[in-house]
Structures are given as structure tokens and as C-alpha cells.
mmCIF file of all heavy atoms in Angstrom:
data_model
loop_
_atom_site.group_PDB
_atom_site.id
_atom_site.type_symbol
_atom_site.label_atom_id
_atom_site.label_comp_id
_atom_site.label_asym_id
_atom_site.label_seq_id
_atom_site.Cartn_x
_atom_site.Cartn_y
_atom_site.Cartn_z
ATOM 1 N N ASP J 908 -4.033 -8.036 5.509
ATOM 2 C CA ASP J 908 -3.314 -7.687 6.742
ATOM 3 C C ASP J 908 -1.910 -7.168 6.422
ATOM 4 O O ASP J 908 -1.038 -7.926 6.002
ATOM 5 C CB ASP J 908 -3.233 -8.937 7.639
ATOM 6 C CG ASP J 908 -2.516 -8.662 8.956
ATOM 7 O OD1 ASP J 908 -2.252 -7.480 9.257
ATOM 8 O OD2 ASP J 908 -2.229 -9.637 9.677
ATOM 9 N N LYS J 909 -1.680 -5.873 6.650
ATOM 10 C CA LYS J 909 -0.375 -5.274 6.381
ATOM 11 C C LYS J 909 0.697 -5.736 7.366
ATOM 12 O O LYS J 909 1.883 -5.589 7.107
ATOM 13 C CB LYS J 909 -0.471 -3.744 6.441
ATOM 14 C CG LYS J 909 -1.097 -3.116 5.222
ATOM 15 C CD LYS J 909 -1.060 -1.600 5.294
ATOM 16 C CE LYS J 909 -2.037 -1.082 6.318
ATOM 17 N NZ LYS J 909 -2.166 0.400 6.270
ATOM 18 N N THR J 910 0.263 -6.282 8.516
ATOM 19 C CA THR J 910 1.226 -6.743 9.514
ATOM 20 C C THR J 910 1.613 -8.211 9.310
ATOM 21 O O THR J 910 2.396 -8.752 10.087
ATOM 22 C CB THR J 910 0.664 -6.570 10.938
ATOM 23 O OG1 THR J 910 -0.464 -7.459 11.113
ATOM 24 C CG2 THR J 910 0.223 -5.138 11.172
ATOM 25 N N HIS J 911 1.048 -8.855 8.282
ATOM 26 C CA HIS J 911 1.415 -10.231 7.962
ATOM 27 C C HIS J 911 2.911 -10.278 7.646
ATOM 28 O O HIS J 911 3.474 -9.311 7.128
ATOM 29 C CB HIS J 911 0.588 -10.716 6.762
ATOM 30 C CG HIS J 911 0.764 -12.160 6.449
ATOM 31 N ND1 HIS J 911 1.835 -12.637 5.712
ATOM 32 C CD2 HIS J 911 0.015 -13.252 6.771
ATOM 33 C CE1 HIS J 911 1.729 -13.949 5.601
ATOM 34 N NE2 HIS J 911 0.644 -14.341 6.226
ATOM 35 N N PRO J 912 3.604 -11.382 7.975
ATOM 36 C CA PRO J 912 5.058 -11.429 7.778
ATOM 37 C C PRO J 912 5.541 -11.062 6.378
ATOM 38 O O PRO J 912 6.581 -10.432 6.231
ATOM 39 C CB PRO J 912 5.402 -12.893 8.102
ATOM 40 C CG PRO J 912 4.336 -13.334 9.041
ATOM 41 C CD PRO J 912 3.096 -12.599 8.649
ATOM 42 N N ILE J 913 4.775 -11.423 5.338
ATOM 43 C CA ILE J 913 5.261 -11.173 3.971
ATOM 44 C C ILE J 913 5.304 -9.676 3.658
ATOM 45 O O ILE J 913 6.368 -9.146 3.307
ATOM 46 C CB ILE J 913 4.424 -11.949 2.930
ATOM 47 C CG1 ILE J 913 4.495 -13.448 3.215
ATOM 48 C CG2 ILE J 913 4.930 -11.655 1.516
ATOM 49 C CD1 ILE J 913 3.536 -14.288 2.389
ATOM 50 N N PRO J 914 4.178 -8.917 3.779
ATOM 51 C CA PRO J 914 4.287 -7.476 3.552
ATOM 52 C C PRO J 914 5.152 -6.773 4.593
ATOM 53 O O PRO J 914 5.835 -5.788 4.282
ATOM 54 C CB PRO J 914 2.835 -6.986 3.609
ATOM 55 C CG PRO J 914 2.072 -8.048 4.308
ATOM 56 C CD PRO J 914 2.775 -9.328 4.004
ATOM 57 N N ASP J 915 5.135 -7.277 5.817
ATOM 58 C CA ASP J 915 5.899 -6.643 6.891
ATOM 59 C C ASP J 915 7.399 -6.689 6.578
ATOM 60 O O ASP J 915 8.093 -5.660 6.625
ATOM 61 C CB ASP J 915 5.602 -7.359 8.215
ATOM 62 C CG ASP J 915 6.204 -6.641 9.419
ATOM 63 O OD1 ASP J 915 6.276 -5.401 9.383
ATOM 64 O OD2 ASP J 915 6.608 -7.319 10.376
ATOM 65 N N LEU J 916 7.907 -7.857 6.242
ATOM 66 C CA LEU J 916 9.332 -7.996 5.939
ATOM 67 C C LEU J 916 9.690 -7.295 4.636
ATOM 68 O O LEU J 916 10.761 -6.692 4.514
ATOM 69 C CB LEU J 916 9.714 -9.481 5.869
ATOM 70 C CG LEU J 916 9.556 -10.276 7.169
ATOM 71 C CD1 LEU J 916 9.925 -11.732 6.946
ATOM 72 C CD2 LEU J 916 10.404 -9.681 8.291
ATOM 73 N N THR J 917 8.775 -7.350 3.665
ATOM 74 C CA THR J 917 9.009 -6.660 2.390
ATOM 75 C C THR J 917 9.165 -5.161 2.618
ATOM 76 O O THR J 917 10.028 -4.511 2.017
ATOM 77 C CB THR J 917 7.847 -6.937 1.414
ATOM 78 O OG1 THR J 917 7.829 -8.336 1.092
ATOM 79 C CG2 THR J 917 7.996 -6.136 0.131
ATOM 80 N N GLY J 918 8.333 -4.606 3.502
ATOM 81 C CA GLY J 918 8.396 -3.181 3.800
ATOM 82 C C GLY J 918 9.718 -2.754 4.409
ATOM 83 O O GLY J 918 10.183 -1.634 4.190
ATOM 84 N N TYR J 919 10.345 -3.646 5.182
ATOM 85 C CA TYR J 919 11.640 -3.334 5.792
ATOM 86 C C TYR J 919 12.751 -3.244 4.747
ATOM 87 O O TYR J 919 13.700 -2.484 4.902
ATOM 88 C CB TYR J 919 12.024 -4.402 6.825
ATOM 89 C CG TYR J 919 11.339 -4.245 8.155
ATOM 90 C CD1 TYR J 919 10.517 -5.247 8.663
ATOM 91 C CD2 TYR J 919 11.518 -3.096 8.930
ATOM 92 C CE1 TYR J 919 9.882 -5.122 9.895
ATOM 93 C CE2 TYR J 919 10.880 -2.957 10.157
ATOM 94 C CZ TYR J 919 10.075 -3.970 10.634
ATOM 95 O OH TYR J 919 9.449 -3.836 11.850
ATOM 96 N N ILE J 920 12.647 -4.070 3.695
ATOM 97 C CA ILE J 920 13.740 -4.183 2.732
ATOM 98 C C ILE J 920 13.614 -3.174 1.592
ATOM 99 O O ILE J 920 14.611 -2.672 1.088
ATOM 100 C CB ILE J 920 13.793 -5.621 2.156
ATOM 101 C CG1 ILE J 920 13.922 -6.644 3.284
ATOM 102 C CG2 ILE J 920 14.945 -5.777 1.174
ATOM 103 C CD1 ILE J 920 13.667 -8.074 2.860
ATOM 104 N N THR J 921 12.376 -2.869 1.208
ATOM 105 C CA THR J 921 12.152 -2.034 0.022
ATOM 106 C C THR J 921 12.002 -0.556 0.389
ATOM 107 O O THR J 921 12.011 -0.196 1.559
ATOM 108 C CB THR J 921 10.898 -2.518 -0.727
ATOM 109 O OG1 THR J 921 9.780 -2.546 0.184
ATOM 110 C CG2 THR J 921 11.106 -3.919 -1.286
ATOM 111 N N GLU J 922 11.852 0.276 -0.640
ATOM 112 C CA GLU J 922 11.824 1.733 -0.433
ATOM 113 C C GLU J 922 10.427 2.290 -0.651
ATOM 114 O O GLU J 922 10.180 3.087 -1.541
ATOM 115 C CB GLU J 922 12.837 2.392 -1.388
ATOM 116 C CG GLU J 922 14.253 2.022 -1.064
ATOM 117 C CD GLU J 922 15.026 1.420 -2.226
ATOM 118 O OE1 GLU J 922 14.485 1.346 -3.334
ATOM 119 O OE2 GLU J 922 16.172 1.018 -1.998
ATOM 120 N N GLY J 923 9.493 1.817 0.184
ATOM 121 C CA GLY J 923 8.123 2.297 0.105
ATOM 122 C C GLY J 923 7.156 1.200 -0.290
ATOM 123 O O GLY J 923 7.504 0.010 -0.311
ATOM 124 N N GLN J 924 5.940 1.585 -0.629
ATOM 125 C CA GLN J 924 4.931 0.634 -1.093
ATOM 126 C C GLN J 924 3.768 1.379 -1.730
ATOM 127 O O GLN J 924 3.444 2.485 -1.333
ATOM 128 C CB GLN J 924 4.410 -0.248 0.051
ATOM 129 C CG GLN J 924 3.610 0.455 1.134
ATOM 130 C CD GLN J 924 4.488 1.131 2.161
ATOM 131 O OE1 GLN J 924 5.579 0.675 2.457
ATOM 132 N NE2 GLN J 924 4.018 2.242 2.716
ATOM 133 N N ILE J 925 3.176 0.764 -2.753
ATOM 134 C CA ILE J 925 1.917 1.227 -3.342
ATOM 135 C C ILE J 925 0.840 0.288 -2.820
ATOM 136 O O ILE J 925 0.929 -0.928 -3.028
ATOM 137 C CB ILE J 925 1.952 1.174 -4.883
ATOM 138 C CG1 ILE J 925 3.121 1.997 -5.436
ATOM 139 C CG2 ILE J 925 0.624 1.646 -5.469
ATOM 140 C CD1 ILE J 925 3.037 3.470 -5.175
ATOM 141 N N ILE J 926 -0.161 0.827 -2.130
ATOM 142 C CA ILE J 926 -1.184 -0.016 -1.503
ATOM 143 C C ILE J 926 -2.509 0.104 -2.261
ATOM 144 O O ILE J 926 -2.989 1.215 -2.509
ATOM 145 C CB ILE J 926 -1.380 0.371 -0.025
ATOM 146 C CG1 ILE J 926 -0.106 0.049 0.768
ATOM 147 C CG2 ILE J 926 -2.579 -0.354 0.582
ATOM 148 C CD1 ILE J 926 -0.192 0.310 2.248
ATOM 149 N N LEU J 927 -3.070 -1.033 -2.632
ATOM 150 C CA LEU J 927 -4.402 -1.073 -3.247
ATOM 151 C C LEU J 927 -5.430 -1.298 -2.156
ATOM 152 O O LEU J 927 -5.225 -2.102 -1.256
ATOM 153 C CB LEU J 927 -4.483 -2.182 -4.301
ATOM 154 C CG LEU J 927 -3.439 -2.146 -5.428
ATOM 155 C CD1 LEU J 927 -3.790 -3.161 -6.509
ATOM 156 C CD2 LEU J 927 -3.313 -0.765 -6.033
ATOM 157 N N ASN J 928 -6.563 -0.571 -2.256
ATOM 158 C CA ASN J 928 -7.552 -0.539 -1.184
ATOM 159 C C ASN J 928 -8.886 -1.080 -1.672
ATOM 160 O O ASN J 928 -9.412 -0.639 -2.695
ATOM 161 C CB ASN J 928 -7.696 0.904 -0.679
ATOM 162 C CG ASN J 928 -8.609 1.027 0.513
ATOM 163 O OD1 ASN J 928 -9.809 0.821 0.410
ATOM 164 N ND2 ASN J 928 -8.033 1.381 1.650
ATOM 165 N N ARG J 929 -9.438 -2.030 -0.916
ATOM 166 C CA ARG J 929 -10.698 -2.663 -1.313
ATOM 167 C C ARG J 929 -11.871 -1.678 -1.262
ATOM 168 O O ARG J 929 -12.761 -1.704 -2.107
ATOM 169 C CB ARG J 929 -10.970 -3.862 -0.389
ATOM 170 C CG ARG J 929 -11.954 -4.852 -0.955
ATOM 171 C CD ARG J 929 -12.158 -6.018 -0.010
ATOM 172 N NE ARG J 929 -10.950 -6.798 0.212
ATOM 173 C CZ ARG J 929 -10.513 -7.723 -0.638
ATOM 174 N NH1 ARG J 929 -11.159 -7.955 -1.752
ATOM 175 N NH2 ARG J 929 -9.413 -8.415 -0.369
ATOM 176 N N GLU J 930 -11.877 -0.786 -0.279
ATOM 177 C CA GLU J 930 -12.971 0.172 -0.146
ATOM 178 C C GLU J 930 -12.987 1.156 -1.322
ATOM 179 O O GLU J 930 -14.049 1.523 -1.829
ATOM 180 C CB GLU J 930 -12.823 0.948 1.181
ATOM 181 C CG GLU J 930 -13.920 1.964 1.460
ATOM 182 C CD GLU J 930 -15.326 1.349 1.427
ATOM 183 O OE1 GLU J 930 -15.504 0.209 1.879
ATOM 184 O OE2 GLU J 930 -16.236 2.050 0.921
ATOM 185 N N ILE J 931 -11.812 1.583 -1.751
ATOM 186 C CA ILE J 931 -11.730 2.477 -2.919
ATOM 187 C C ILE J 931 -12.233 1.757 -4.157
ATOM 188 O O ILE J 931 -12.932 2.338 -4.998
ATOM 189 C CB ILE J 931 -10.276 2.974 -3.101
ATOM 190 C CG1 ILE J 931 -9.888 3.875 -1.927
ATOM 191 C CG2 ILE J 931 -10.110 3.727 -4.415
ATOM 192 C CD1 ILE J 931 -8.439 4.328 -1.928
ATOM 193 N N MET J 932 -11.914 0.466 -4.278
ATOM 194 C CA MET J 932 -12.393 -0.335 -5.404
ATOM 195 C C MET J 932 -13.912 -0.418 -5.408
ATOM 196 O O MET J 932 -14.553 -0.339 -6.465
ATOM 197 C CB MET J 932 -11.781 -1.747 -5.306
ATOM 198 C CG MET J 932 -12.167 -2.672 -6.444
ATOM 199 S SD MET J 932 -11.380 -2.212 -7.976
ATOM 200 C CE MET J 932 -12.083 -3.440 -9.076
ATOM 201 N N ARG J 933 -14.510 -0.554 -4.221
ATOM 202 C CA ARG J 933 -15.981 -0.646 -4.123
ATOM 203 C C ARG J 933 -16.651 0.626 -4.628
ATOM 204 O O ARG J 933 -17.786 0.598 -5.087
ATOM 205 C CB ARG J 933 -16.400 -0.904 -2.673
ATOM 206 C CG ARG J 933 -16.145 -2.320 -2.180
ATOM 207 C CD ARG J 933 -16.932 -2.615 -0.913
ATOM 208 N NE ARG J 933 -16.484 -3.859 -0.308
ATOM 209 C CZ ARG J 933 -15.692 -3.944 0.757
ATOM 210 N NH1 ARG J 933 -15.261 -2.835 1.342
ATOM 211 N NH2 ARG J 933 -15.341 -5.112 1.247
ATOM 212 N N ARG J 934 -15.957 1.756 -4.517
ATOM 213 C CA ARG J 934 -16.519 3.028 -4.988
ATOM 214 C C ARG J 934 -16.337 3.236 -6.486
ATOM 215 O O ARG J 934 -16.641 4.299 -7.015
ATOM 216 C CB ARG J 934 -15.889 4.196 -4.216
ATOM 217 C CG ARG J 934 -16.217 4.189 -2.731
ATOM 218 C CD ARG J 934 -16.058 5.568 -2.123
ATOM 219 N NE ARG J 934 -14.701 6.079 -2.188
ATOM 220 C CZ ARG J 934 -13.771 5.864 -1.262
ATOM 221 N NH1 ARG J 934 -14.064 5.128 -0.184
ATOM 222 N NH2 ARG J 934 -12.555 6.354 -1.381
ATOM 223 N N GLY J 935 -15.805 2.214 -7.162
ATOM 224 C CA GLY J 935 -15.657 2.292 -8.611
ATOM 225 C C GLY J 935 -14.412 3.025 -9.071
ATOM 226 O O GLY J 935 -14.322 3.429 -10.234
ATOM 227 N N ILE J 936 -13.436 3.220 -8.175
ATOM 228 C CA ILE J 936 -12.191 3.902 -8.530
ATOM 229 C C ILE J 936 -11.162 2.848 -8.913
ATOM 230 O O ILE J 936 -10.809 1.985 -8.109
ATOM 231 C CB ILE J 936 -11.648 4.755 -7.361
ATOM 232 C CG1 ILE J 936 -12.739 5.683 -6.800
ATOM 233 C CG2 ILE J 936 -10.416 5.541 -7.787
ATOM 234 C CD1 ILE J 936 -13.272 6.689 -7.789
ATOM 235 N N ASN J 937 -10.682 2.901 -10.153
ATOM 236 C CA ASN J 937 -9.732 1.909 -10.645
ATOM 237 C C ASN J 937 -8.614 2.602 -11.430
ATOM 238 O O ASN J 937 -8.920 3.392 -12.304
ATOM 239 C CB ASN J 937 -10.461 0.896 -11.528
ATOM 240 C CG ASN J 937 -9.639 -0.344 -11.795
ATOM 241 O OD1 ASN J 937 -8.701 -0.645 -11.079
ATOM 242 N ND2 ASN J 937 -9.968 -1.048 -12.866
ATOM 243 N N PRO J 938 -7.339 2.398 -11.103
ATOM 244 C CA PRO J 938 -6.818 1.469 -10.089
ATOM 245 C C PRO J 938 -7.085 1.986 -8.674
ATOM 246 O O PRO J 938 -6.969 3.197 -8.438
ATOM 247 C CB PRO J 938 -5.310 1.446 -10.379
ATOM 248 C CG PRO J 938 -5.029 2.764 -11.032
ATOM 249 C CD PRO J 938 -6.249 3.096 -11.819
ATOM 250 N N PRO J 939 -7.427 1.098 -7.742
ATOM 251 C CA PRO J 939 -7.818 1.538 -6.389
ATOM 252 C C PRO J 939 -6.612 1.820 -5.501
ATOM 253 O O PRO J 939 -6.426 1.201 -4.452
ATOM 254 C CB PRO J 939 -8.641 0.349 -5.877
ATOM 255 C CG PRO J 939 -8.022 -0.832 -6.552
ATOM 256 C CD PRO J 939 -7.556 -0.363 -7.899
ATOM 257 N N ILE J 940 -5.760 2.764 -5.918
ATOM 258 C CA ILE J 940 -4.533 3.079 -5.172
ATOM 259 C C ILE J 940 -4.870 3.999 -4.003
ATOM 260 O O ILE J 940 -5.477 5.059 -4.182
ATOM 261 C CB ILE J 940 -3.494 3.734 -6.097
ATOM 262 C CG1 ILE J 940 -3.062 2.742 -7.187
ATOM 263 C CG2 ILE J 940 -2.274 4.210 -5.297
ATOM 264 C CD1 ILE J 940 -2.128 3.325 -8.234
ATOM 265 N N ASP J 941 -4.509 3.576 -2.817
ATOM 266 C CA ASP J 941 -4.711 4.374 -1.606
ATOM 267 C C ASP J 941 -3.493 5.288 -1.443
ATOM 268 O O ASP J 941 -2.484 4.900 -0.864
ATOM 269 C CB ASP J 941 -4.867 3.453 -0.399
ATOM 270 C CG ASP J 941 -5.286 4.199 0.858
ATOM 271 O OD1 ASP J 941 -5.071 5.423 0.923
ATOM 272 O OD2 ASP J 941 -5.822 3.554 1.788
ATOM 273 N N VAL J 942 -3.597 6.514 -1.969
ATOM 274 C CA VAL J 942 -2.423 7.391 -1.992
ATOM 275 C C VAL J 942 -2.010 7.843 -0.591
ATOM 276 O O VAL J 942 -0.841 8.167 -0.363
ATOM 277 C CB VAL J 942 -2.659 8.617 -2.903
ATOM 278 C CG1 VAL J 942 -2.855 8.180 -4.340
ATOM 279 C CG2 VAL J 942 -3.832 9.455 -2.439
ATOM 280 N N LEU J 943 -2.952 7.862 0.354
ATOM 281 C CA LEU J 943 -2.610 8.302 1.707
ATOM 282 C C LEU J 943 -1.793 7.251 2.451
ATOM 283 O O LEU J 943 -0.982 7.576 3.320
ATOM 284 C CB LEU J 943 -3.877 8.634 2.501
ATOM 285 C CG LEU J 943 -4.738 9.783 1.952
ATOM 286 C CD1 LEU J 943 -5.941 10.021 2.857
ATOM 287 C CD2 LEU J 943 -3.920 11.064 1.819
ATOM 288 N N GLN J 944 -2.004 5.981 2.125
ATOM 289 C CA GLN J 944 -1.261 4.896 2.762
ATOM 290 C C GLN J 944 0.006 4.535 1.989
ATOM 291 O O GLN J 944 0.910 3.911 2.531
ATOM 292 C CB GLN J 944 -2.149 3.648 2.873
ATOM 293 C CG GLN J 944 -3.361 3.809 3.761
ATOM 294 C CD GLN J 944 -2.993 3.915 5.234
ATOM 295 O OE1 GLN J 944 -2.052 3.286 5.693
ATOM 296 N NE2 GLN J 944 -3.719 4.735 5.966
ATOM 297 N N SER J 945 0.059 4.934 0.724
ATOM 298 C CA SER J 945 1.198 4.590 -0.124
ATOM 299 C C SER J 945 2.363 5.542 0.120
ATOM 300 O O SER J 945 2.181 6.656 0.618
ATOM 301 C CB SER J 945 0.787 4.631 -1.601
ATOM 302 O OG SER J 945 -0.262 3.710 -1.861
ATOM 303 N N LEU J 946 3.546 5.078 -0.268
ATOM 304 C CA LEU J 946 4.739 5.888 -0.028
ATOM 305 C C LEU J 946 5.853 5.441 -0.960
ATOM 306 O O LEU J 946 6.096 4.248 -1.131
ATOM 307 C CB LEU J 946 5.205 5.725 1.430
ATOM 308 C CG LEU J 946 6.576 6.302 1.790
ATOM 309 C CD1 LEU J 946 6.541 7.822 1.747
ATOM 310 C CD2 LEU J 946 7.027 5.812 3.164
ATOM 311 N N SER J 947 6.509 6.419 -1.576
ATOM 312 C CA SER J 947 7.747 6.156 -2.302
ATOM 313 C C SER J 947 8.843 6.954 -1.613
ATOM 314 O O SER J 947 8.864 8.185 -1.687
ATOM 315 C CB SER J 947 7.629 6.565 -3.776
ATOM 316 O OG SER J 947 8.885 6.509 -4.400
ATOM 317 N N ARG J 948 9.742 6.265 -0.926
ATOM 318 C CA ARG J 948 10.744 6.966 -0.112
ATOM 319 C C ARG J 948 11.771 7.729 -0.951
ATOM 320 O O ARG J 948 12.465 8.587 -0.432
ATOM 321 C CB ARG J 948 11.470 5.969 0.795
ATOM 322 C CG ARG J 948 10.570 5.353 1.862
ATOM 323 C CD ARG J 948 11.370 4.584 2.920
ATOM 324 N NE ARG J 948 10.480 3.990 3.892
ATOM 325 C CZ ARG J 948 10.090 2.720 3.884
ATOM 326 N NH1 ARG J 948 10.522 1.911 2.932
ATOM 327 N NH2 ARG J 948 9.285 2.242 4.801
ATOM 328 N N LEU J 949 11.860 7.399 -2.236
ATOM 329 C CA LEU J 949 12.852 8.054 -3.085
ATOM 330 C C LEU J 949 12.226 9.074 -4.039
ATOM 331 O O LEU J 949 12.909 9.589 -4.921
ATOM 332 C CB LEU J 949 13.627 7.002 -3.901
ATOM 333 C CG LEU J 949 14.417 5.969 -3.097
ATOM 334 C CD1 LEU J 949 15.133 5.013 -4.034
ATOM 335 C CD2 LEU J 949 15.420 6.644 -2.171
ATOM 336 N N LYS J 950 10.931 9.366 -3.853
ATOM 337 C CA LYS J 950 10.251 10.229 -4.834
ATOM 338 C C LYS J 950 10.899 11.599 -4.955
ATOM 339 O O LYS J 950 10.971 12.165 -6.052
ATOM 340 C CB LYS J 950 8.766 10.358 -4.474
ATOM 341 C CG LYS J 950 8.489 11.025 -3.134
ATOM 342 C CD LYS J 950 7.007 10.976 -2.797
ATOM 343 C CE LYS J 950 6.751 11.516 -1.395
ATOM 344 N NZ LYS J 950 5.345 11.352 -1.000
ATOM 345 N N ASP J 951 11.386 12.147 -3.854
ATOM 346 C CA ASP J 951 11.990 13.479 -3.898
ATOM 347 C C ASP J 951 13.255 13.500 -4.748
ATOM 348 O O ASP J 951 13.670 14.568 -5.211
ATOM 349 C CB ASP J 951 12.329 13.952 -2.478
ATOM 350 C CG ASP J 951 11.072 14.179 -1.637
ATOM 351 O OD1 ASP J 951 10.018 14.446 -2.238
ATOM 352 O OD2 ASP J 951 11.147 14.067 -0.400
#
């Protein structure tokens, strides 16, 4: 749950997030990084 207090508050303080996805893992993709949901606010 991304709305759980721990990830929710962490997201407010930090500059983005790398999200691992269970469905991507099931398809045999490792590391199962969900690039569409992930974000690095300082990448530019």
C-alpha cells in the first residue's frame, strides 16, 4: 500500500522513489522496477 503512513510520509520528505512491482516480478523481470511509477525529481 503506497498510501500507508510510512511510504506516504517518506515520499513527502525525499526526492522521488524507486518502486518495485510484484506483477513485473511474476513475469520474470528482475530487478522488478516499475519505471512508470518511479520518479527521481533531481534526475534532470
Side-chain angles (χ1 to χ4, degrees):
D908 181 10
K909 283 185 288 188
T910 66
H911 187 278
I913 301 171
D915 188 33
L916 297 178
T917 295
Y919 281 120
I920 304 167
T921 55
E922 294 125 4
Q924 67 278 328
I925 303 295
I926 294 183
L927 304 189
N928 185 292
R929 199 179 297 279
E930 181 55 38
I931 293 175
M932 182 71 182
R933 286 197 191 103
R934 295 202 297 272
I936 309 298
N937 194 20
I940 296 175
D941 189 339
V942 296
L943 298 181
Q944 296 290 325
S945 300
L946 169 69
S947 170
R948 293 191 181 99
L949 299 181
K950 63 186 174 186
D951 294 334

